[in-house]
Amino acid sequence: MTATTATAAPAPQKINWLLLLLKARTFVALILVLAYFSFAAPNFLSTANAVLVSKHVAINAFLAIGMTFVIITGGIDLSVGSVVGLCGMVAGWLLLNGIDVGLGWSIQFNTLEVMLIVCLVGIFVGWINGTLITRFNVAPFIATLGMLYVARGSALLSSEGRTFPNLNGTADYGSSSFPEIGAGSFLGIPVMIWMLIIVTIAASYIASRTPLGRHIYAVGGNERGAALSGVRVRRVKMFVYMFSGLMAALVGLIIASQLKASHPATGEFFELNAIAAAVLGGTSMSGGRGRIGGTIVGAFVIGILSDGLIMMGVSSFWQMVIKGLVIIAAVVIDQAQSRLQTRVALSQEAAASR
Amino acid sequence: MTGPVPSAEHPVGLSIRGAVKVYPGTRALKGVDFDIRMGAVNVLVGENGAGKSTLMKVIAGVEDLTEGEILIGGKAVHFRHKDDAVAHGIGIVFQELNLFPDLTVAENVFMGREPLRFGFDIDKGAVVRRTRELLGRLEQDIDPEMRLGFLRIGQQQIIEIAKALAEDARILILDEPTSALSAAEVEVLFRIIDELKAQGVGIVYISHRLEELIRVGDYITVLRDGEITGSRPMEGVDIPWIVRAMIGEKSKDYSQGTGHAFGEEVFRAENISLPKMGGGWLVDDVSLSLRSGEILGVYGLMGAGRSEFLECVMAQHPGSGGRFFVEGREMREASVDRRIARGIALVPEDRKRDGLVQIMSIRENLTLSSLKSFTRIFHMSLSAEADRVRDYIRRLTIKVASPENPVSSLSGGNQQKVVIGKALMTGPKVLMMDEPSRGIDIGAKAEIYRTMRQLASEGIGIIFVTSDLEEVLGLSDRILVMADGRVTGEFQKGADAAQVIAAATPDKTKKGHAA
């Protein structure tokens, strides 16, 4: 009657190996691309190169983490690339000009304050997205598509299309440490990688060990059912878009700091890379399914693939083709996995109720 | 041949012999013989789950018989697909309308069967003309080029009938055609039925409204638990006869009450009302009171406003009026989670749509409403969660291989237990259950009844909504009957079935009966 432990028959056990392999497919893919480029591209395995690749991956990984939460709730955030650009411009503006209060003097900020304000700008953009979606019932695709244009336009307006150069900060204002965000390192590992590690751990923790995380999955799985179970759907959605905005702000800061300049066109098409990483990591576009860990692995697969191909001298046109094929293959395998998983679960339950 | 002798006036158009339909876990039909007589209204009646829909799906070619045969003109036919049945002149109008509100009336009528010129160009003129002819035959003054969404529900129902007639249906199955109609529209429908009869169409009429059946029907067949319990011409049939055939003498296992005394009033609703789109009320000034340990059965037909009332309690309708009290204190909270915190819990009618998150695991579904109970500030203790889940799986005897499997892999009865478990984990004082036994097999039903008794004896007040007469009579300590959004009757335990049914019949059909 109360068979609570899995006493699966031998037959399903055999299928489970295949299922395990399919579940770990992104990881397998990661190992494969790593192994391949280690042979095919000289110097690929060197420490210097590993750090370089990680830095490239990190940019995409931040956005992909935010995107994963959004997609799990059944939404999409197309605005992140533009928000990266906008936040970079805000950082540049604050460092160069401060805020002119119109009384003949201006307020200047130190590095930490700049970071805080930029993060707030990103969260605010996310708040607008969330409000449009939850209060005005705008489809997430449309709301964030609109925001994509608004944010990019604002970024261009802020400098009339020009670049804010020489963002070295000013020692007097305490902002001379600004370039450290992107270029500095701690214990031999770049600061931005530390940031990524912290964000990843925090996001994984939210996803698996907090009620908020459980609610994110429930909203994506069945919004009506979640609402009737007492989940505050609006609040959950507001959180994911604001979190995604925060991630975009971090990326904006990092890029501005790395380049010591901010250009309003920064971040174009970043949203598509973020979606690709999330999907490659097993996030379902129909909502309810996805893991932060999977997304990180997905971001690494995409990053290593493009850097490896560059090192091998493959043309960038071919790179795009290959990237696209990998993403499509990932989703095809994902469908096969969920079918198999359903079958295994059904056969287990059928055995239990017998 | 168990039924009445076929008369020359109404020749048998289609008959079913020894129909058996087995679904995994249940036998929906157990050797059913059924005749459809042409030029007559063949009424089919039975409770939810008696097998009416299955029988109709078989006739319409949607489902295949496990055993038995379908005979048309004495020859056995086999419907592999809906199109086969359509080719034999069988049309069906389902209870839920299958129409496209943004297309025109004519486009709807000829959906999928558009007359073509040169094999690809839709002959719009012919579509409109033939639709106008059909609507003329139905005496309806509806513009074929109007957008369907602009029509009233009753008119849309008539479009569905026109659609079936456009396929030259000789046999027309109407499944609960009046559940969404107003009194005037019911009259129109009955006139149409008379005309179709005169044209020699055989009509199968399914309804729960017994007075309506007696008025419109020529032959009656009663189904109970997949078996025919009565089949005769309509002459001399009265409501008590139908009720007897529907429920039978023997009673199912409703595990008698423990005879515990009820406690204080735990829940009260005062003057709850919910306006309907386009005028009228879905819930019309409903007041009720519930004591702890009491099982209150709310009986009524579909569309009586029972589910909507429960949804009002669960804060699903911001436009509703009235006041709720839990343990004497007014419940002003407007959000679902705060109402849950006040001790209200709902087991919704539609498990798939409202009750469960299908792709989440059994464990995650069970604890979804009560995550706070093992959360400190923001940290969930997964081991405490697993303990609670194990405990509830044992208490509710949910049969699972692993709590980590997706909830969609469970059978209907076990899924329902998960929904109940989720509600119980919130520690409710008032448990509202909407059709708790719908779509689950008899064994699981008995277990759910037992669980309800058990919970009541532990002091929880239970309000349950059902369309199953036997269930409401067998399980309730007190019965409320609703019709057209109003409470139309209150009965104590051991009430007379016929009186309960009479109270559940909306006024409009009574008027129709008098007319």
Side-chain angles (χ1 to χ4, degrees):
Chain A
M1 275 304 258
T2 54
T4 46
T5 46
T7 48
Q13 209 87 52
K14 263 181 224 159
I15 309 173
N16 282 349
W17 279 109
L18 181 59
L19 188 62
L20 208 65
L21 195 69
L22 283 178
K23 270 185 177 168
R25 66 188 177 281
T26 328
F27 211 68
V28 174
L30 179 64
I31 293 168
L32 285 179
V33 284
L34 264 180
Y36 178 74
F37 287 124
S38 309
F39 278 108
N43 299 329
F44 186 81
L45 269 186
S46 68
T47 320
N49 188 55
V51 169
L52 196 68
V53 173
S54 321
K55 278 180 151 182
H56 290 161
V57 170
I59 298 291
N60 189 18
F62 278 113
L63 299 178
I65 289 172
M67 191 67 78
T68 302
F69 277 148
V70 173
I71 295 179
I72 292 175
T73 64
I76 190 89
D77 188 351
L78 297 179
S79 67
V80 287
S82 299
V83 178
V84 167
L86 178 64
C87 287
M89 296 312 282
V90 171
W93 180 285
L94 290 175
L95 285 168
L96 289 183
N97 308 329
I99 292 179
D100 191 345
V101 288
L103 297 169
W105 48 281
S106 64
I107 308 173
Q108 299 293 337
F109 303 95
N110 66 29
T111 306
L112 213 58
E113 286 162 350
V114 168
M115 287 179 74
L116 197 69
I117 293 170
V118 171
C119 286
L120 286 177
V121 168
I123 292 173
F124 176 69
V125 174
W127 181 84
I128 296 175
N129 280 334
T131 306
L132 287 172
I133 290 159
T134 59
R135 300 277 159 185
F136 298 97
N137 283 328
V138 183
F141 192 98
I142 304 299
T144 58
L145 180 67
M147 187 52 74
L148 180 153
Y149 289 114
V150 172
R152 181 67 68 201
S154 309
L156 287 162
L157 281 171
S158 69
S159 67
E160 281 159 1
R162 285 192 297 273
T163 303
F164 287 139
N166 303 323
L167 300 180
N168 291 313
T170 316
D172 291 349
Y173 303 142
S175 57
S176 60
S177 56
F178 183 74
E180 294 294 307
I181 303 169
S185 64
F186 177 68
L187 298 178
I189 295 174
V191 171
M192 57 182 286
I193 299 298
W194 283 113
M195 284 165 67
L196 178 65
I197 291 171
I198 292 167
V199 166
T200 305
I201 292 173
S204 304
Y205 179 81
I206 289 172
S208 59
R209 300 301 293 263
T210 66
L212 173 64
R214 193 66 65 77
H215 289 173
I216 289 173
Y217 285 95
V219 166
N222 178 356
E223 191 171 324
R224 248 188 92 90
L228 272 173
S229 301
V231 174
R232 297 185 177 186
V233 175
R234 281 185 177 173
R235 207 180 267 195
V236 169
K237 286 191 177 173
M238 290 303 286
F239 169 81
V240 296
Y241 288 100
M242 286 160 76
F243 186 79
S244 181
L246 172 64
M247 292 299 108
L250 287 181
V251 172
L253 277 170
I254 289 168
I255 293 179
S257 160
Q258 273 179 337
L259 302 176
K260 295 183 189 162
S262 50
H263 182 64
T266 306
E268 274 178 348
F269 301 117
F270 278 20
E271 60 277 352
L272 300 185
N273 282 326
I275 295 168
V279 169
L280 202 57
T283 309
S284 158
M285 289 301 287
S286 51
R289 218 153 47 83
R291 304 218 168 278
I292 299 300
T295 296
I296 296 292
V297 176
F300 266 93
V301 171
I302 289 183
I304 290 174
L305 201 62
S306 46
D307 281 17
L309 290 173
I310 290 170
M311 289 178 74
M312 280 174 66
V314 177
S315 98
S316 67
F317 305 153
W318 272 111
Q319 283 178 40
M320 290 173 84
V321 172
I322 292 169
K323 208 155 95 179
L325 290 178
V326 167
I327 292 165
I328 293 170
V331 177
V332 170
I333 298 172
D334 184 59
Q335 291 297 327
Q337 183 217 324
S338 53
R339 269 200 304 277
L340 186 65
Q341 202 162 0
T342 315
R343 222 171 50 219
V344 170
L346 273 175
S347 70
Q348 275 182 13
E349 293 303 336
S353 60
R354 197 166 286 143
Chain B
M1 181 92 204
T2 51
V5 194
S7 67
E9 189 188 355
H10 300 140
V12 172
L14 179 148
S15 46
I16 288 191
R17 287 289 167 269
V20 173
K21 176 70 193 175
V22 180
Y23 289 113
T26 48
R27 287 168 82 84
L29 297 176
K30 305 168 183 164
V32 167
D33 294 342
F34 181 57
D35 293 318
I36 298 175
R37 292 186 176 75
M38 306 307 284
V41 176
N42 306 264
V43 159
L44 188 62
V45 64
E47 295 198 294
N48 290 327
K52 300 186 304 275
S53 311
T54 309
L55 187 58
M56 289 309 110
K57 279 182 188 160
V58 166
I59 294 175
V62 180
E63 295 270 4
D64 219 353
L65 276 178
T66 313
E67 283 170 39
E69 55 184 0
I70 304 173
L71 304 164
I72 291 182
K75 270 188 290 224
V77 290
H78 189 72
F79 300 153
R80 265 177 218 86
H81 192 260
K82 197 170 180 292
D83 296 343
D84 294 346
V86 170
H88 281 91
I90 295 167
I92 184 162
V93 177
F94 287 106
Q95 193 173 357
E96 302 89 19
L97 300 175
N98 297 301
L99 296 169
F100 303 86
D102 291 320
L103 300 181
T104 68
V105 169
E107 282 167 336
N108 267 286
V109 169
F110 284 92
M111 176 53 64
R113 292 167 286 104
E114 296 84 356
L116 299 177
R117 276 188 303 225
F118 318 117
F120 62 89
D121 178 44
I122 295 180
D123 188 349
K124 273 203 174 153
V127 169
V128 170
R129 185 167 35 79
R130 285 170 60 185
T131 304
R132 191 166 283 133
E133 280 166 21
L134 279 168
L135 290 172
R137 192 173 149 198
L138 296 174
E139 288 187 355
Q140 290 300 305
D141 187 22
I142 300 172
D143 180 6
E145 289 178 274
M146 190 148 131
R147 243 185 61 193
L148 182 107
F150 292 144
L151 299 183
R152 276 174 310 177
I153 295 289
Q155 292 176 310
Q156 294 190 14
Q157 186 104 42
I158 286 160
I159 302 303
E160 277 275 18
I161 295 174
K163 207 169 131 186
L165 293 178
E167 293 166 328
D168 295 322
R170 300 294 303 146
I171 292 174
L172 184 61
I173 301 169
L174 301 173
D175 191 357
E176 296 255 13
T178 56
S179 58
L181 300 192
S182 72
E185 288 165 340
V186 169
E187 288 308 312
V188 171
L189 179 73
F190 283 2
R191 246 197 345 270
I192 290 172
I193 287 177
D194 280 343
E195 278 159 31
L196 292 174
K197 256 166 67 174
Q199 293 164 15
V201 175
I203 292 168
V204 179
Y205 192 97
I206 302 174
S207 178
H208 284 295
R209 298 181 171 170
L210 304 185
E211 297 189 13
E212 188 179 295
L213 293 180
I214 292 175
R215 181 177 164 218
V216 78
D218 298 306
Y219 299 89
I220 182 164
T221 304
V222 188
L223 265 177
R224 180 172 79 226
D225 290 337
E227 286 173 283
I228 296 221
T229 51
S231 178
R232 57 183 282 189
M234 194 56 92
E235 282 97 12
V237 170
D238 55 6
I239 288 184
W241 181 88
I242 301 178
V243 171
R244 243 189 342 270
M246 269 170 68
I247 350 186
E249 314 297 338
K250 66 173 171 46
S251 182
K252 283 181 202 151
D253 173 22
Y254 284 107
S255 72
Q256 287 314 301
T258 47
H260 60 277
F262 305 143
E264 296 287 303
E265 177 188 83
V266 68
F267 175 78
R268 179 155 43 99
E270 282 182 1
N271 311 103
I272 306 307
S273 53
L274 176 67
K276 184 165 27 183
M277 287 244 270
W281 303 89
L282 282 168
V283 180
D284 189 359
D285 198 27
V286 169
S287 301
L288 61 83
S289 146
L290 178 76
R291 295 164 71 182
S292 77
E294 187 182 27
I295 300 183
L296 175 64
V298 180
Y299 178 77
L301 301 175
M302 256 191 62
R306 302 163 303 164
S307 302
E308 288 79 4
F309 171 75
L310 296 190
E311 284 166 9
C312 286
V313 182
M314 213 53 188
Q316 291 302 294
H317 297 289
S320 65
R323 298 197 296 170
F324 300 106
F325 296 85
V326 178
E327 292 184 319
R329 212 153 51 82
E330 183 167 4
M331 181 167 71
R332 292 175 184 277
E333 289 84 353
S335 69
V336 178
D337 60 320
R338 293 222 178 91
R339 292 203 172 177
I340 289 175
R342 282 295 300 274
I344 304 284
L346 172 68
V347 175
E349 179 180 9
D350 189 334
R351 275 192 298 280
K352 279 211 169 62
R353 202 186 56 167
D354 301 335
L356 297 168
V357 182
Q358 292 282 334
I359 61 171
M360 286 175 102
S361 70
I362 297 159
R363 165 178 60 87
E364 289 166 324
N365 269 289
L366 270 169
T367 56
L368 185 56
S369 290
S370 53
L371 295 174
K372 275 196 189 118
S373 60
F374 44 84
T375 302
R376 270 199 198 155
I377 311 172
F378 56 79
H379 179 79
M380 289 195 300
S381 163
L382 294 187
S383 62
E385 180 188 24
D387 288 344
R388 265 175 86 84
V389 166
R390 262 198 302 280
D391 181 33
Y392 273 81
I393 286 179
R394 203 188 55 242
R395 275 169 56 180
L396 293 169
T397 63
I398 310 175
K399 289 170 204 156
V400 299
S402 157
E404 298 307 318
N405 278 339
V407 77
S408 53
S409 63
L410 296 179
S411 68
N414 282 313
Q415 286 192 13
Q416 184 70 325
K417 286 185 193 171
V418 172
V419 181
I420 294 174
K422 178 173 76 174
L424 291 181
M425 276 196 185
T426 64
K429 301 176 182 109
V430 182
L431 180 61
M432 303 187 294
M433 304 172 95
D434 198 348
E435 302 278 6
S437 70
R438 173 167 291 179
I440 61 182
D441 63 60
I442 290 188
K445 273 186 190 179
E447 282 183 55
I448 292 207
Y449 298 149
R450 222 166 16 246
T451 306
M452 287 167 71
R453 289 272 188 223
Q454 172 73 26
L455 294 171
S457 72
E458 287 165 13
I460 294 178
I462 297 180
I463 303 177
F464 82 103
V465 157
T466 180
S467 316
D468 185 332
L469 187 61
E470 191 186 349
E471 186 173 293
V472 81
L473 292 173
L475 201 53
S476 318
D477 295 319
R478 190 155 55 91
I479 299 169
L480 278 188
V481 180
M482 282 183 73
D484 287 342
R486 286 190 309 276
V487 175
T488 51
E490 179 165 355
F491 300 91
Q492 293 304 316
K493 201 185 180 94
D496 180 38
Q499 282 181 353
V500 173
I501 286 191
T505 309
D507 283 341
K508 60 192 179 199
T509 37
K510 276 182 192 161
K511 275 180 213 141
H513 191 53

